[in-house]
Amino acid sequence: MATFDDILEEAGKFGRFQKRIFALLCMVSMPWAGVYVGIVFQGFTPDHWCRDSAAVERREACGWSREESRRLTAPLVNISRILQHSSCERYEVDWNVTELRCDPQEPDQSRTPTVRCTEGWEYDYEGRRSFVTEFDLVCSDGWLVDMYQATLNMGFLIGSIAIGYLADRFGRKVSFLMSNVLNGIAGILVAVAPDYISLLVFRTLFGFGVKGGWVAGYVLITEIVGVEFRRTVGVIYQMFFSIGILILPLLAYFITDWRWLQVVITIPYILFLSYYWFIPESPRWLLSQNRKSKAVEITKDMAKENKMTLTKMIETLSDDNADSSTASFMDLIRTPKMRKHTFILSYNWFTSAVVYQGLIMRLGILGGNVYIDFLISGLVEFPAAFLILFTIERIGRRLPFAAANIVAGASCFITAFIPDSMFWFKTVVACIGRLGITMTFEMVVFVNTELYPTFVRNFGVSVCSTLCDVGGIVAPFLLYRLAVIWLELPLIIFGCLAFLAGGLVLLLPETRGVPLPETIDNIEFPERVKEKITLESQQLANLLSNSGVSSCKDSAARAISMHLNYVNGPKCGHCSTIWLLI
């Protein structure tokens, strides 16, 4: 009986068919960047102070600058041991009295009583509008900004489980298309939300579909390529998220209203509905559902487009786990190794989300030019992708994964204690931390897919990544609320989380060059798979030895040698190699 990996040897592991689908699905990662971290621009909190209508009239009459007006209306307060003009209180002054002249240097109001803002706020954000400035989400309502990101991740949490289940139940393609229908509708509703409560509701619905569709696309592409290409497609698929990170500040710079920026982020999801005519269902999933005829049809189309020829082995195509096609949460925790994988991967998803989102959102509270800072931090993500491609081929998955966590943690600790006077050194160390956590975030996705069998793979990735969503819910509160106490305090927490994640990764098995597991037994008893491969190799060698055909002997010898190297841990390989070479 031939498995889909056996047939891939004949149909092409990464031919024109796979490249076309891969290019289409990579586009999905770019708008997700705008959804995931768009809060930096859509929810930007500019410098602000209490509005006093009488003071505004006096400013216009006297020709004062906005800074002079603020100095006269806002008291000085101690913020992180620095005296700054208050954003939430103003002097209780009647600006309509005639004694006050237009000299902005004249009044000494240090002993004047203060009151909280009662007429709203003025913002140093002329010509632009974020939802913070539109709904006045500052001072006592500042925590509501955190809810914008938290509700998105709440949608991620619910949607990734629901759409992950649907992807394993009804197919990768169907769930991908369903999610994009929801994304298009919810994204536009976010853009036209009349008030902040409805905005949060629509934002939750938006998150419900976005992540589930992204994960379905990721699983689909990894299931139709050969084992040695999984790492490349996985990393590049996520690299397009980094391209989206670079595009986002450019869009935000030229699109000054957060509502129109939301529309631009949403439009690609509507266009993705056209993929109905361009991408197939996963043959692996079809086999796991006992739909062999459709799987064979797609595989034949694959071979035809790749200009490859299939042998009669296609007629014996089967799936070892076809009888256990319905995924459940118990499949992830019932057996010891599956349980360990689920715990460690879930924690790494959590840590990656907290640290990654935290470091990005931190750019919005540091001051300076947020567009340039965001662009520079985005450029750091590209070396992360290339480092992954360079190291995991030579070293494996586990050590680079652990090292990236540890580097991220160390950088967070060091950055927290570097004085602001050493600006460039602090920036470089912070960028190294961003590099490390980006590597971690990109690696956890494809390592997750490699540690679960086919019938539960999409569901397993979705369940583990729910901790990513929990981390996303926690991250804005952790960053913004702790930063009020001490700006660098969140970095200390990020460092602790990343160090622990790095240590746990070392407990995972190495997956370099290992075929995607088809059953839970492949996970729990990997030595049985190796023994089976070795036995089949020996039986084939004996068969060819008895045939007396020297050329076949040479081919078999080479194949067996390669195959045994795989069993002992080569860079890549697959049991079907022996059949292809012969």
Side-chain angles (χ1 to χ4, degrees):
M1 302 293 284
T3 65
F4 183 69
D5 283 312
D6 297 326
I7 302 301
L8 268 183
E9 297 280 359
E10 297 181 347
K13 297 180 180 180
F14 194 55
R16 181 179 175 181
F17 180 88
Q18 289 97 331
K19 290 175 182 176
R20 173 175 58 83
I21 297 168
F22 178 52
L24 291 171
L25 290 176
C26 279
M27 298 299 104
V28 178
S29 290
M30 290 196 289
W32 194 36
V35 177
Y36 198 56
V37 293
I39 186 176
V40 175
F41 303 105
Q42 292 177 302
F44 183 72
T45 303
D47 203 13
H48 55 280
W49 58 93
C50 295
R51 177 180 176 82
D52 186 325
S53 56
V56 171
E57 292 178 3
R58 178 62 63 91
R59 181 179 70 201
E60 294 173 350
C62 295
W64 294 340
S65 68
R66 295 167 70 89
E67 184 57 35
E68 289 173 333
S69 175
R70 182 180 185 182
R71 183 179 60 80
L72 293 171
T73 59
L76 289 173
V77 293
N78 190 329
I79 302 176
S80 296
R81 294 178 293 184
I82 299 175
L83 285 178
Q84 300 179 25
H85 287 286
S86 174
S87 297
C88 303
E89 294 181 334
R90 65 175 177 85
Y91 289 121
E92 191 174 18
V93 175
D94 184 0
W95 291 97
N96 291 316
V97 298
T98 57
E99 290 79 15
L100 292 173
R101 298 196 300 268
C102 284
D103 182 2
Q105 305 298 326
E106 179 184 331
D108 178 10
Q109 306 190 96
S110 58
R111 297 184 180 180
T112 304
T114 61
V115 294
R116 292 193 173 276
C117 303
T118 56
E119 298 183 48
W121 287 262
E122 292 189 76
Y123 297 94
D124 188 14
Y125 206 46
E126 191 171 356
R128 294 184 173 273
R129 185 170 67 164
S130 68
F131 65 78
V132 171
T133 64
E134 180 174 338
F135 298 116
D136 282 337
L137 303 179
V138 293
C139 297
S140 60
D141 290 333
W143 67 275
L144 290 172
V145 180
D146 307 354
M147 291 299 297
Y148 184 78
Q149 192 72 0
T151 53
L152 174 73
N153 283 274
M154 187 72 72
F156 285 169
L157 176 63
I158 301 170
S160 60
I161 295 177
I163 295 180
Y165 175 78
L166 292 174
D168 283 322
R169 191 78 174 89
F170 300 105
R172 289 27 169 161
K173 179 178 178 178
V174 171
S175 62
F176 173 79
L177 294 172
M178 288 172 55
S179 70
N180 282 295
V181 170
L182 178 60
N183 295 340
I185 296 172
I188 296 299
L189 288 175
V190 169
V192 299
D195 55 66
Y196 196 62
I197 298 299
S198 60
L199 174 63
L200 295 181
V201 173
F202 298 147
R203 178 78 166 167
T204 304
L205 294 175
F206 196 35
F208 185 92
V210 168
K211 185 182 175 183
W214 185 87
V215 173
Y218 180 88
V219 172
L220 173 59
I221 191 59
T222 57
E223 288 187 339
I224 64 173
V225 301
V227 60
E228 58 267 51
F229 294 100
R230 293 203 313 263
R231 61 174 179 82
T232 304
V233 299
V235 172
I236 295 178
Y237 185 78
Q238 295 172 84
M239 189 187 295
F240 275 77
F241 179 90
S242 300
I243 294 175
I245 289 287
L246 295 181
I247 295 174
L248 180 60
L250 300 177
L251 291 175
Y253 181 79
F254 290 105
I255 303 174
T256 58
D257 192 307
W258 72 273
R259 292 183 183 272
W260 283 109
L261 181 59
Q262 174 65 31
V263 171
V264 171
I265 291 171
T266 303
I267 287 174
Y269 290 107
I270 299 174
L271 298 178
F272 292 151
L273 294 175
S274 64
Y275 284 15
Y276 174 84
W277 292 279
F278 300 113
I279 64 172
E281 184 53 84
S282 167
R284 288 184 190 271
W285 177 82
L286 290 169
L287 288 173
S288 72
Q289 301 295 307
N290 285 318
R291 295 171 61 182
K292 178 182 174 181
S293 60
K294 184 62 177 178
V296 170
E297 178 185 339
I298 293 173
T299 306
K300 287 181 177 179
D301 291 340
M302 180 190 301
K304 181 179 179 181
E305 188 169 341
N306 290 342
K307 297 181 180 179
M308 303 291 283
T309 303
L310 295 176
T311 66
K312 291 184 178 181
M313 187 164 56
I314 187 71
E315 298 174 2
T316 64
L317 183 61
S318 66
D319 180 72
D320 293 337
N321 207 46
D323 295 332
S324 303
S325 56
T326 302
S328 72
F329 179 73
M330 291 305 298
D331 292 318
L332 304 180
I333 61 173
R334 183 181 295 112
T335 55
K337 290 184 179 179
M338 287 285 287
R339 187 162 53 246
K340 180 181 74 173
H341 295 174
T342 299
F343 170 75
I344 295 175
L345 291 168
S346 296
Y347 179 76
N348 269 270
W349 275 104
F350 174 82
T351 300
S352 297
V354 170
V355 181
Y356 184 84
Q357 289 191 54
L359 291 180
I360 290 182
M361 290 188 294
R362 187 171 177 267
L363 296 172
I365 62 175
L366 292 179
N369 191 315
V370 67
Y371 302 99
I372 294 177
D373 292 345
F374 197 94
L375 188 64
I376 293 174
S377 70
L379 289 171
V380 174
E381 296 197 2
F382 285 93
F386 291 115
L387 278 173
I388 291 173
L389 292 174
F390 180 80
T391 56
I392 63 176
E393 173 67 18
R394 293 162 177 78
I395 302 174
R397 274 68 158 154
R398 184 174 57 181
L399 290 180
F401 192 7
N405 269 303
I406 294 171
V407 167
S411 298
C412 287
F413 275 124
I414 295 171
T415 302
F417 294 103
I418 297 176
D420 292 336
S421 58
M422 303 175 67
F423 174 76
W424 286 110
F425 180 57
K426 188 167 187 172
T427 300
V428 170
V429 175
C431 285
I432 293 174
R434 174 74 179 275
L435 177 70
I437 201 60
T438 300
M439 286 184 65
T440 297
F441 220 157
E442 292 183 357
M443 291 192 71
V444 68
V445 183
F446 70 81
V447 169
N448 205 155
T449 63
E450 293 177 342
L451 288 174
Y452 284 135
T454 299
F455 82 102
V456 76
R457 184 171 298 123
N458 200 90
F459 183 65
V461 173
S462 296
V463 169
C464 289
S465 66
T466 57
L467 268 293
C468 167
D469 306 325
V470 173
I473 295 171
V474 171
F477 295 99
L478 188 65
L479 174 71
Y480 296 130
R481 298 315 112 203
L482 292 183
V484 173
I485 302 172
W486 177 36
L487 186 61
E488 312 296 355
L489 182 57
L491 292 179
I492 304 299
I493 306 300
F494 297 161
C496 294
L497 293 173
F499 268 124
L500 179 57
L504 290 174
V505 166
L506 295 175
L507 301 177
L508 293 174
E510 180 56 64
T511 58
R512 180 186 58 167
V514 178
L516 287 173
E518 299 290 343
T519 68
I520 290 179
D521 281 348
N522 292 160
I523 298 292
E524 296 297 325
F525 309 104
E527 65 281 354
R528 293 182 183 177
V529 178
K530 294 182 180 181
E531 291 173 0
K532 180 180 179 181
I533 293 171
T534 304
L535 179 60
E536 290 177 351
S537 300
Q538 292 173 349
Q539 290 174 343
L540 182 60
N542 293 335
L543 178 63
L544 293 175
S545 177
N546 294 332
S547 69
V549 182
S550 59
S551 60
C552 288
K553 288 181 182 179
D554 294 338
S555 298
R558 288 193 298 270
I560 293 167
S561 175
M562 292 175 62
H563 200 49
L564 291 177
N565 283 337
Y566 156 72
V567 173
N568 293 321
K571 293 180 180 178
C572 63
H574 192 268
C575 58
S576 57
T577 302
I578 191 169
W579 298 105
L580 177 63
L581 291 176
I582 295 173

